[in-house]
Amino acid sequence: MKKRWRISLFLIIGFFQISLVLRSQDTAQLAVRLSVQFRSEADRSMNIMATAVAKINSRLSTVPGLLIKFYLDEESENNLIGASHTDSNGKADVSIPASLLSKWNESDKHTLIASSKDTLHFSSSSNDITVGKCKIVIDTLGGSEKHRIQITALAKSNDTWIPIKDMEILIGVKRLAGSVLKFTEDGSFTTDSSGKVVVELTDTFIKGDENGKIILLAKCEDNDDFGTVISEKEVHWGKKVGLKSDFFQNRTLWSTRFRTPIWLLVLVYGMSIGIWATIFYVFRQIYKIKKAGQVIN
């Protein structure tokens, strides 16, 4: 009897300990890792992006719905760039507001900070990157039958723009939906000691808009010192593409119903006549069979 009582007591204690362990695992906060990126696009916007990931069920997964605050140089309310919740891919981004542009212009380098607070399931986290100021200048060169482009990469140092050597830059033509028509197979070129690279646009039949305008694009992506830098320039080197004034006046499939192609009208009406003729013929034969049956009777 005592032996059974002891076994029961040990089982109760064991189940209680296991439940405590499981409960502690369920309520334990998971560690979040933030990665920070910087993107400067065509002198129009400067964006700071962060990606939140955590190890969930032994797998590294993105963390959606996490509030991340972004700061310039230090975590203070005066230096708050903005705050954003991560999307379904664990990404959040903000733009540097006009109120902080004066602080941004005070130095050639800045530290961008991304920070998240404790939540029910995730512990607080913080990470930062230091980026310098960089710009990519696109110039067009004459003196040749082919279109030539000169790309110059410059970094700001002590209020002076100096050339960047050995910077890898993707060069191409910007297309719809953000895609890039590359000049070579990989599209990448490396600047020389003067921070320049010269390329030729060999394809002279690139389609532009109705005025022949295309957008040249130069992009340095995920650079360790400057982040992602993008520059664009509009040129009228493309083939003019536009709608003709009589585009919808011809008998085509994309015209109005009053401009339907003749062959399509013949096909549809011919099928309709054939179907109704077959139905009429079947009913006529049924009528004849019924009438013949009445004569025999």
Side-chain angles (χ1 to χ4, degrees), residues 241-250:
V241 176
L243 295 177
K244 297 180 180 179
S245 59
D246 61 344
F247 185 78
F248 291 107
Q249 302 302 318
N250 299 320

Side-chain angles (χ1 to χ4, degrees), residues 42-54:
D43 298 329
R44 293 195 303 266
S45 63
M46 293 177 289
N47 293 74
I48 303 97
M49 297 152 286
T51 303
V53 296

Side-chain angles (χ1 to χ4, degrees), residues 69-82:
K69 291 186 175 182
F70 297 87
Y71 299 91
L72 180 65
D73 293 326
E74 62 178 352
E75 292 191 40
S76 65
E77 289 302 319
N78 293 332
N79 286 19
L80 178 65
I81 298 173

Side-chain angles (χ1 to χ4, degrees), residues 22-284:
L22 293 177
R23 183 176 298 179
S24 64
Q25 290 179 348
D26 291 338
T27 59
Q29 290 179 317
L30 299 175
V32 177
R33 186 173 65 188
L34 298 177
S35 59
V36 189
Q37 300 87 32
F38 174 72
R39 180 187 180 100
S40 173
E41 185 171 352
D43 298 329
R44 293 195 303 266
S45 63
M46 293 177 289
N47 293 74
I48 303 97
M49 297 152 286
T51 303
V53 296
K55 198 170 185 180
I56 303 174
N57 295 329
S58 301
R59 293 181 59 184
L60 201 62
S61 305
T62 57
V63 181
L66 185 67
L67 179 63
I68 299 179
K69 291 186 175 182
F70 297 87
Y71 299 91
L72 180 65
D73 293 326
E74 62 178 352
E75 292 191 40
S76 65
E77 289 302 319
N78 293 332
N79 286 19
L80 178 65
I81 298 173
S84 177
H85 286 87
T86 55
D87 59 16
S88 58
N89 296 316
K91 298 181 181 296
D93 69 275
V94 295
S95 299
I96 296 179
S99 58
L100 287 179
L101 287 181
S102 58
K103 288 186 178 181
W104 177 263
N105 294 327
E106 289 175 358
S107 176
D108 296 334
K109 286 188 177 182
H110 289 282
T111 300
L112 305 174
I113 306 167
S115 176
S116 66
K117 301 298 183 182
D118 282 330
T119 65
L120 180 62
H121 301 291
F122 301 101
S123 60
S124 61
S125 180
S126 180
N127 199 3
D128 61 73
I129 58 169
T130 299
V131 294
K133 295 182 180 179
C134 171
K135 66 178 180 179
I136 298 176
V137 181
I138 303 176
D139 293 314
T140 56
L141 302 178
S144 175
E145 294 182 359
K146 295 182 179 180
H147 299 304
R148 295 196 303 158
I149 306 164
Q150 178 179 275
I151 307 296
T152 307
L154 301 170
K156 196 170 186 181
S157 176
N158 297 324
D159 294 329
T160 304
W161 292 99
I162 60 175
I164 305 174
K165 181 182 177 182
D166 296 333
M167 172 178 275
E168 188 173 348
I169 301 176
L170 183 146
I171 305 174
V173 176
K174 187 177 180 180
R175 310 306 288 169
L176 296 176
S179 61
V180 179
L181 178 62
K182 301 175 183 179
F183 286 178
T184 61
E185 185 175 350
D186 61 356
S188 295
F189 298 85
T190 304
T191 57
D192 57 17
S193 58
S194 61
K196 302 180 185 294
V197 58
V198 178
V199 296
E200 285 188 349
L201 180 61
T202 56
D203 188 356
T204 58
F205 297 98
I206 297 176
K207 292 182 179 180
D209 61 7
E210 56 186 7
N211 298 317
K213 181 184 70 178
I214 61 176
I215 300 176
L216 301 176
L217 181 141
K219 179 179 181 181
C220 172
E221 192 166 14
D222 293 333
N223 186 276
D224 293 336
D225 298 318
F226 308 104
T228 297
V229 184
I230 300 175
S231 184
E232 298 176 359
K233 184 180 182 67
E234 294 182 355
V235 293
H236 291 82
W237 291 352
K239 183 179 179 181
K240 294 182 180 181
V241 176
L243 295 177
K244 297 180 180 179
S245 59
D246 61 344
F247 185 78
F248 291 107
Q249 302 302 318
N250 299 320
R251 289 190 175 274
T252 56
L253 291 175
W254 49 83
S255 297
T256 62
R257 61 177 179 173
F258 302 107
R259 297 288 178 178
T260 306
I262 299 297
W263 64 267
L264 185 58
L265 291 174
V266 173
L267 178 63
V268 173
Y269 285 118
M271 291 175 60
S272 299
I273 293 172
I275 292 171
W276 282 108
T278 303
I279 294 174
F280 177 77
Y281 175 77
V282 170
F283 278 104
R284 188 169 183 272

